[in-house]
Amino acid sequence: MQIFGVDIGGSGIKGAPVDLDKGDLAQARHKVLTPHPATPDGVADGVREVVERFGWTGPVGLTFPGVVTGGATVRTAANVDRSWVDTDARALFSERLGGLPVTVVNDADAAGVAEMRFGAGRGRRGTVILLTFGTGIGSAVFVDGALVPNTELGHLELNGHEAEKRASSKAKEDQGLTWDRWARRVQKYLAHVEMLFSPELFVVGGGVSRKAHKFLPLIKGIEAEIVPAQLQNNAGIVGAAMHAAEHG
C-alpha cells in the first residue's frame, strides 16, 4: 500500500510516495525550499509543487512544524510565519491540491511514530523521546508505545535561552560551532529533558542524524540510551503517510 507523505520544515518541503508495508520511500523524494516568509499560501504552493511532481491523485499526509489540534488547526508557528496560527491547515492544503483527501500532524510526532514502528524505537517500552534537530528542535514522547502529542520540547528554557535557539542544527550552522562545542550544548539540553522525563531511550533525528558519528560519541553523562534515528530525515515523510492511512 502506498500513500503520499510530505514533510514541511522551516527550510525545506520534501515528499514522496511511501510504501507502508516496508516503512520506506517508494520513490526518491522531491524537495523544494520553504518560502520566506513561510506564509500559508506560500507553503501550500510548495506542497502542491512537490505532490504534482509525482502526478499523485490519492490521499496525502502532511507534517507541520508546530502544534496541530483536531487534525487540522495550527496553534503555534515558531519557525514559519505567524499568520499560520489558527489556520485550518487541512482545508487549505486540500483546496490547494484540488480536493485530495489530506491529513495534517505535528512534524516531530510523525517522525516519532515512524521510528517507533519501523526504526530505532521498534519494540521499545517505557518512555522513549525522539528529538529532531533541524531549523528548530522537535520532540515526540512515547510511553509504552503511546504518543503524547504536541510536546514541543524544543521550546524549553535552558540557561535563560529557548533551547532550540542554542542547540538546533541551525544554531550550529548560524553560529559556526564546532561539533565538540555544539555537542556540549546538546548534552546540556538532553540532561535537562532527562531530568524532567527520565526516558529509557533518546532517538536523535533530523538531517543531522546522518552525521551522528560526529557528535553522539562526544555526549557524556546521560543515563538514557542515545541512538540515531534509523529512518534519518525521511522519518517525517513516512510518518505523515502513516498518519494519513490511519486517520484519513
Side-chain angles (χ1 to χ4, degrees), residues 8-222:
I8 299 170
S11 59
I13 301 168
K14 51 189 181 292
V18 174
D19 184 330
L20 292 176
D21 295 320
K22 297 179 180 178
D24 199 2
L25 307 190
Q27 299 181 47
R29 71 188 191 189
H30 180 61
K31 179 179 179 179
V32 299
L33 296 178
T34 302
H36 292 286
T39 61
D41 278 340
V43 171
D45 284 343
V47 167
R48 180 175 61 190
E49 180 179 344
V50 170
V51 175
E52 288 183 348
R53 176 68 173 259
F54 294 85
W56 187 262
T57 58
V60 178
L62 298 109
T63 76
F64 185 81
V67 171
V68 179
T69 58
T73 305
V74 173
R75 297 299 185 193
T76 66
N79 294 304
V80 289
D81 194 79
R82 290 289 301 169
S83 59
W84 273 103
V85 175
D86 295 329
T87 294
D88 185 335
R90 182 167 57 197
L92 170 66
F93 289 125
S94 182
E95 182 275 330
R96 199 59 54 92
L97 294 175
L100 295 182
V102 164
T103 61
V104 186
V105 64
N106 173 269
D107 56 349
D109 286 350
V113 166
E115 284 292 331
M116 291 297 288
R117 182 175 300 181
F118 296 109
R122 182 168 44 188
R124 297 295 294 256
R125 308 296 292 173
T127 301
V128 176
I129 299 180
L130 172 126
L131 297 167
T132 60
F133 292 84
T135 304
I137 299 176
S139 62
V141 178
F142 296 85
V143 180
D144 290 335
L147 173 68
V148 181
N150 291 311
T151 48
E152 294 288 286
L153 300 182
H155 302 303
L156 288 171
E157 182 178 322
L158 184 62
N159 296 334
H161 299 275
E162 190 176 23
E164 71 176 21
K165 303 300 184 186
R166 299 275 293 169
S168 66
S169 63
K170 183 176 188 297
K172 179 187 183 300
E173 294 169 6
D174 289 351
Q175 299 170 37
L177 302 176
T178 63
W179 286 108
D180 184 71
R181 188 173 177 191
W182 184 65
R184 289 199 295 271
R185 292 189 181 188
V186 173
Q187 178 179 300
K188 289 180 181 178
Y189 173 63
L190 292 178
H192 187 57
V193 175
E194 184 170 61
M195 179 271 293
L196 293 172
F197 293 94
S198 301
E200 282 76 26
L201 176 67
F202 281 117
V203 179
V204 175
V208 75
S209 61
R210 294 191 300 269
K211 300 177 181 178
H213 63 284
K214 293 189 175 183
F215 68 94
L216 285 189
L218 303 175
I219 295 174
K220 310 296 182 183
I222 305 300

